[in-house]
Amino acid sequence: MTTSFQTNPVSLKDLMRECHEGKLQLPDFQRGWVWDQDRIIDLLASISEGFPVGALMTLDASGEVSFAVRPVEGAPAPIKPLEAYLLDGQQRMTSLYQSTFSPVPVATQTAKKRPIKVHFYFDIRAALDPDVARSDAVIAVPEDRIIRENFGRDVKLDLSCEEHEFEALYFPIDRIFDENRWQISAAQWMAKDPVARQEKWELINRFAQEVVNNFTSYHVPVIKLGKDTSRAAVCLVFEKVNTGGKPLDAFELVTAMYASEEFHLREDWKARRDRLINQKVLAKIEPVEFLQAVSLLHTKGRRDEAIAAGLEPPAISATRNSLLQVPLAAYKKWADKVEAGYVAAAKFLHSLKIFNSRDLPYQTQLVPLAAILAELGTAWENDAVRQKLAKWYWCGVFGELYGSAVESRFALDIRDFSPWINGKAEPQTVQRSSFEEKRLRTLRSRLSAAYKGVHALLMKSGAEDFKSGQPYDQTVFFDENVDIHHIFPEAWCKNQKIEPAIYNSIVNKTPLASATNRMLGGVAPSAYLGRLTKGNDSNPPIAADRLSAILTSHEIDETLLASDDFNGFMDKRRASLLSLIEAAMGKEAVRESILPMNPDDDYYGEEELEEAA
């Protein structure tokens, strides 16, 4: 087996020249240079002593992987054809290029992140003193090469011309690979007063031998990936080497690859996102998710074509690798349909009373939902199709199937849904979903998909606000700031010594407008029901039969609420909520034999564990 890379030492001077000429450039997804001056000083000091500073990694630019590129920061427009992409080592190469090869000031920052422009110098005497740490022999001077003190009134060190550099014995590091010319000028300077300047001339010569030669003879190990390296391998490389900052994702890699074909994916995505987030339920949509939906449709299209031709069908996929294989033509073919799928997804979710991203049970489930709707077109609005879509959706939510390892489920969903509406087997998301009754006793976290699902189901089933009697349509939801609140108020529960693990269960919560929740005032349910039926100056009384109907719309037994029977209420409402869930999923739940609330129950969903951490 042959390896797809080679490791060779390359002289630092040659690397700097390649950066300068444009033979070595950065893929466009590489982030900006952020090293501060202290890190640059440490890097320069290490090379000056011949210490290793780590390997670089490059990719042959003549292979199938093609990226848009940009020069190393500070380098001029390229004058030579691109030969390789710099995959790992951007910050080191940029730091070295700007400090050793470019005459312009180095744009860096202080340790406190304040942007500055400086030139770096070696203090020649300090660099030759074995008792001085080499990093202490490197200094940064301002853009005009003059260090001032006393609030800028006094000049401490003036290095603004070569004569001053020779006199002060400071070597400009941006001349390190042009040291011969600097030394020739130094020799001419010395010749004007050879006796007085002889000692300094000797120090300059020693410095050239002991320090400068370490730069000019320095070699960096370079791992060169061959032209046959796949896109997936390049992406994996970045996952391994990009240990600082936000990890690179597939969208950035695809952006750079499409840019090489003069298509600006980032701008295209921004325009689409700006349109989509007008729907609050889509506010958290991510570009990788959009690409996943495109990949699902692209790979399904290829699969359908292969089946029609009697060939071995390729897999449907939304993995990172598959995203990198989506050609630009396929993106252009499917992107508008996927965007329409997301718009339809928002409309569908609104019909389920899910109005904003905070109440969306699973962000991940939007991907197959948008892809399915993109494929269905307007057919999803048919009642029979809509009912199956809702069943699939609730099975995913209450089966809690989209918390992790979701890419394979995406593929199964898009593969199975259309055949299902044409009489074939149910999708595996429907087949494999189940809901356990005991889960209702442990749904306490707003991060839980099933918790959000119950909230939406109550509104979908016709819940009306306790005070206003309004059903929770989209206008009421946002205008009245509807959220999920306690039925037996928290303060009352604490006074009754009820455990938080019990009263914070979704069983004791329901959708209410914020003003309604404030009116409940932490008192016993019997007391706030009395307030509602009696009314006051600002709230007219609600007829008893009307209030009874409102409570019923929340699956609340009025008799148990009016008698402040917390335990009876919890048992009865748990059974009612379970019926709602079973109806939504189209299947029976797994019943439990022990019904009393157990505050020590440690059954938590994945999202709740994340919140607790």
Side-chain angles (χ1 to χ4, degrees), residues 250 288-297 299-300 315-324 326 367-368 371 406-412 414:
V288 167
E289 295 168 354
F290 191 87
L291 282 180
Q292 285 179 314
V294 170
S295 180
L296 287 173
L297 293 172
T299 53
K300 184 176 186 297
I316 300 171
S317 180
T319 63
R320 179 185 60 189
N321 186 21
S322 69
L323 267 56
L324 299 177
V326 175
V367 174
V406 292
E407 287 86 358
S408 59
R409 186 164 299 282
F410 293 171
L412 294 172
I414 191 70

Side-chain angles (χ1 to χ4, degrees), residues 48-80:
S48 75
E49 295 191 276
F51 296 159
V53 295
L56 307 180
M57 186 178 295
T58 64
L59 171 66
D60 190 326
S62 65
E64 66 151 316
V65 180
S66 179
F67 296 119
V69 292
R70 58 184 173 85
V72 167
E73 282 89 344
I79 58 174
K80 294 287 182 68

Side-chain angles (χ1 to χ4, degrees), residues 81-149:
L82 175 69
E83 293 183 0
Y85 305 106
L86 178 61
L87 297 186
D88 185 29
Q90 174 203 5
Q91 293 174 329
R92 281 169 289 159
M93 285 298 96
T94 303
S95 298
L96 289 169
Y97 177 80
Q98 290 199 358
S99 59
T100 69
F101 211 85
S102 173
V104 300
V106 180
T108 180
Q109 57 189 15
T110 66
K112 294 184 177 180
K113 309 301 181 184
R114 181 174 65 86
I116 54 172
K117 292 184 177 182
V118 298
H119 297 277
F120 290 98
Y121 277 81
F122 272 113
D123 177 339
I124 291 176
R125 291 186 188 276
L128 295 174
D129 188 337
D131 295 326
V132 176
R134 185 58 58 84
S135 58
D136 292 336
V138 182
I139 68 165
V141 302
E143 187 173 359
D144 64 359
R145 302 180 189 261
I146 300 174
I147 298 178
R148 295 177 174 84
E149 56 187 7

Side-chain angles (χ1 to χ4, degrees), residues 88 119 126 136 144 158 174 215 237 368 398 415 417 419 528 555:
D88 185 29
H119 297 277
D136 292 336
D144 64 359
D158 183 352
D174 57 19
F215 277 87
V237 164
F398 291 111
R415 184 196 70 183
F417 193 87
Y528 71 65
E555 305 294 335

